Amino acid sequence: MKLITRLLILVALTWSLGIGAQTPSPEDGRLMDRIIAVVEEDVIMQSELQQRMDEIGQQLAARDGQAPPRDALVRPVLDRLILERLQLQEARRIGIRIDDITLNNAMENIARENRMTLTEFRDRLVADGMDFPAFREQIRNELAISQLRRRQVDSRIQVSEQEIDDLIASESGAIDRDVEYRLLHLLISLPEGATPDRIQAAREQARKIREEAATGADFTALALRESAGRHALDGGDLGWRSAAQVPTLFARHVVLMREGEVSEVIRSPSGFHIIKLAERRGGTRTQVRQTQVRHILITPTEVLSNDEAFERLSSLRSRIEDGADFAELARAHSDDRGSALRGGELGWTDPGDLVPQFEDVMNRLPPGRISEPFRSPFGWHILEVLERRDHDSSRELMRAQAREIIRDRKRDDELELWLRRLRDESFVELRLDARNPGDPTALISPRGR
């Protein structure tokens, strides 16, 4: 949505500066409109191309101080119009519709960015010669195309956990520059030129030690007993270190670890390392209130009316109040099959993870109580809050930000591929003047030709 908002603001600012395009009329003796491209079941008219060329030429002139030659705009502008038509047709085909409420909200956002009310913004555009209803429809089209791209392009973008790890590791110095870490370290050393058998034995030893540490064994005692590192007598304690002082070998692991977490076994020429993040301090932390909750969902269907779904859920709630097991009833009756297999449990949830109707009931309910039946877009629910906690979500936020950075980097390439495929698979017939297709005057037919 941010991309489309920036685009719409740019269009609005262009018009608010008085850069408006006027469509030539037949009365001026210059233009007789005609079809210049057939795009599937739609057409592009000569006047549309001329108007868009005027708009883009004026925008470029306002930005760069000089308008490009008009003949250089013909084909790229026509190509853009063709792609817009194809995308709008595809949006209609799959049922994307931008209603007036959504459109009005977008218009109000554009006006607000220009520090005007919607009425003031409309009056300004009209005063500058802009056809306001046409402008609204242009915004509606842009919103439809944006929604289409989110559905058809964004859904194709895959971001792996390894890609997220790699990005965070590669930028760890920037991400955690104000953070300090207290690390514990253990080394199972290898002599230079160790045989494969010796390497395998050391690897297996490190793996077993790591399992002990990860399951709660005293890391300090393990380091004193097993480590060949130079801090072994200190229980492996490396002390407090800034992000820049953390050894490069450990940096990519440390930035992704939580306090108290033990790393996987890390290989280096000197042997096999294990680190534990004892403490972290500094940097920005994001504390959120998490809720552990479980629920039972009954969804109305063609054979189960809304009232019947409510009554069925009310009966299940009464059975739970009388001592029936919530988890067993969820497994047997809940229509949310994913959580039903876990006895209705949704795990630890962050604010915003669940639909507002669900969160509103959940946030008001004390732990251990069963809610009254309530409705959400998915159907009728009862829920039980199991526990609440304050959780440092800084790590999750960092990963979410890294995921979005990677998605943004991939989006342009994926969009280019999708647009090319859409264009190649569609019927498009160009009707430019064959004698001089790059000359915009070839598109202007004097009256009577």
Side-chain angles (χ1 to χ4, degrees):
M1 189 63 185
K2 293 180 180 177
L3 177 62
I4 188 67
T5 301
R6 288 197 295 270
L7 175 61
L8 300 181
I9 291 169
L10 174 61
V11 172
L13 285 173
T14 300
W15 283 106
S16 67
L17 289 170
I19 305 171
Q22 300 296 328
T23 304
S25 62
E27 287 73 21
D28 62 17
R30 295 190 304 106
L31 177 67
M32 290 185 63
D33 214 356
R34 66 186 179 89
I35 296 172
I36 58 168
V38 178
V39 184
E40 290 286 351
E41 69 269 19
D42 203 351
V43 297
I44 297 173
M45 304 302 293
Q46 178 175 320
S47 58
E48 295 178 78
L49 177 62
Q50 289 293 104
Q51 179 173 339
R52 187 64 68 88
M53 286 171 61
D54 288 342
E55 292 176 8
I56 292 177
Q58 290 164 350
Q59 290 173 20
L60 293 174
R63 188 188 68 188
D64 302 332
Q66 182 178 0
R70 285 184 64 79
D71 62 349
L73 291 177
V74 177
R75 292 306 291 263
V77 172
L78 182 55
D79 286 343
R80 179 180 294 186
L81 284 170
I82 290 169
L83 284 174
E84 286 178 6
R85 292 298 170 83
L86 289 173
Q87 290 174 89
L88 289 171
Q89 291 174 25
E90 181 69 9
R92 288 193 295 269
R93 187 186 68 79
I94 65 176
I96 293 176
R97 300 286 187 273
I98 304 300
D99 58 46
D100 287 341
I101 294 175
T102 302
L103 178 59
N104 289 337
N105 289 337
M107 296 292 292
E108 288 173 357
N109 288 337
I110 298 171
R112 193 177 302 115
E113 291 290 339
N114 284 273
R115 299 182 180 179
M116 302 180 194
T117 65
L118 183 56
T119 300
E120 292 169 339
F121 184 63
R122 180 195 61 201
D123 292 344
R124 180 62 179 275
L125 294 180
V126 171
D128 288 339
M130 179 64 182
D131 182 343
F132 187 72
F135 181 80
R136 275 177 56 88
E137 288 310 303
Q138 182 179 349
I139 302 306
R140 192 193 300 271
N141 289 342
E142 295 290 355
L143 290 170
I145 289 173
S146 178
Q147 193 174 128
L148 172 71
R149 289 178 177 181
R150 286 197 300 271
R151 187 180 300 185
Q152 301 292 78
V153 177
D154 289 7
S155 62
R156 300 168 186 259
I157 300 173
Q158 302 296 323
V159 179
S160 70
E161 296 302 310
Q162 185 61 52
E163 287 177 301
I164 294 173
D165 292 348
D166 290 343
L167 178 67
I168 293 174
S170 67
E171 300 186 10
S172 60
I175 290 173
D176 56 356
R177 66 181 61 181
D178 299 324
V179 181
E180 290 185 315
Y181 302 98
R182 180 168 163 255
L183 301 176
L184 305 181
H185 170 249
L186 189 151
L187 169 66
I188 304 300
S189 65
L190 282 173
E192 194 172 337
T195 65
D197 288 345
R198 180 71 180 272
I199 293 172
Q200 182 57 35
R203 179 182 286 110
E204 183 62 21
Q205 181 185 0
R207 185 189 64 77
K208 290 180 179 179
I209 294 171
R210 191 265 168 196
E211 286 183 2
E212 287 187 63
T215 53
D218 186 337
F219 196 97
T220 298
L222 289 173
L224 283 168
R225 187 181 77 223
E226 305 284 356
S227 180
R230 59 191 180 90
H231 295 278
L233 292 178
D234 299 319
D237 194 340
L238 303 184
W240 285 101
R241 301 193 179 199
S242 68
Q245 294 171 325
V246 173
T248 304
L249 179 66
F250 306 148
R252 67 172 292 134
H253 301 274
V254 170
V255 72
L256 296 167
M257 292 170 63
R258 295 188 178 93
E259 287 188 10
E261 190 173 351
V262 178
S263 73
E264 297 296 329
V265 175
I266 303 167
R267 178 74 157 92
S268 82
S270 60
F272 296 94
H273 306 259
I274 305 166
I275 55 172
K276 178 177 180 178
L277 177 55
E279 296 177 81
R280 176 193 279 113
R281 67 187 181 192
T284 301
R285 296 200 177 194
T286 305
Q287 293 284 337
V288 298
R289 173 60 63 93
Q290 290 187 322
T291 304
Q292 190 177 31
V293 63
R294 59 183 177 179
H295 80 132
I296 297 175
L297 168 68
I298 303 297
T299 303
T301 65
E302 293 181 358
V303 297
L304 184 70
S305 70
N306 186 67
D307 289 343
E308 289 171 335
F310 172 82
E311 291 298 331
R312 182 175 171 187
L313 196 61
S314 297
S315 175
L316 292 174
R317 183 182 184 279
S318 296
R319 291 172 61 183
I320 294 170
E321 292 287 351
D322 290 338
D325 185 74
F326 190 111
E328 288 300 322
L329 292 181
R331 291 188 188 97
H333 299 281
S334 181
D335 289 328
D336 179 5
R337 299 316 302 167
S339 68
L341 296 174
R342 301 186 298 272
E345 291 198 19
L346 297 174
W348 287 104
T349 65
D350 290 338
D353 282 352
L354 305 171
V355 295
Q357 298 90 334
F358 194 102
E359 287 201 348
D360 182 56
V361 175
M362 180 183 74
N363 291 337
R364 289 186 284 106
L365 195 68
R369 294 277 299 278
I370 309 297
S371 74
E372 296 291 336
F374 65 94
R375 185 73 192 264
S376 85
F378 300 101
W380 287 94
H381 308 255
I382 55 173
L383 66 82
E384 179 184 10
V385 172
L386 301 175
E387 192 178 352
R388 289 193 173 94
R389 70 181 183 187
D390 290 324
H391 176 68
D392 179 6
S393 64
S394 304
R395 183 174 183 269
E396 288 82 357
L397 179 61
M398 182 191 303
R399 296 187 70 82
Q401 291 171 338
R403 183 184 299 277
E404 193 56 35
I405 289 170
I406 296 169
R407 289 183 66 86
D408 285 343
R409 291 176 180 177
K410 291 185 172 186
R411 187 172 285 113
D412 284 346
D413 289 341
E414 192 63 42
L415 176 60
E416 183 68 29
L417 289 172
W418 179 73
L419 288 175
R420 188 182 308 159
R421 189 180 304 117
L422 182 65
R423 176 70 169 78
D424 291 344
E425 294 175 355
S426 302
F427 173 78
V428 176
E429 178 187 346
L430 300 182
R431 297 184 180 179
L432 295 174
D433 193 307
R435 294 166 299 177
N436 194 356
D439 183 0
T441 61
L443 301 176
I444 299 177
S445 302
R447 189 184 303 232
R449 171 184 273 188

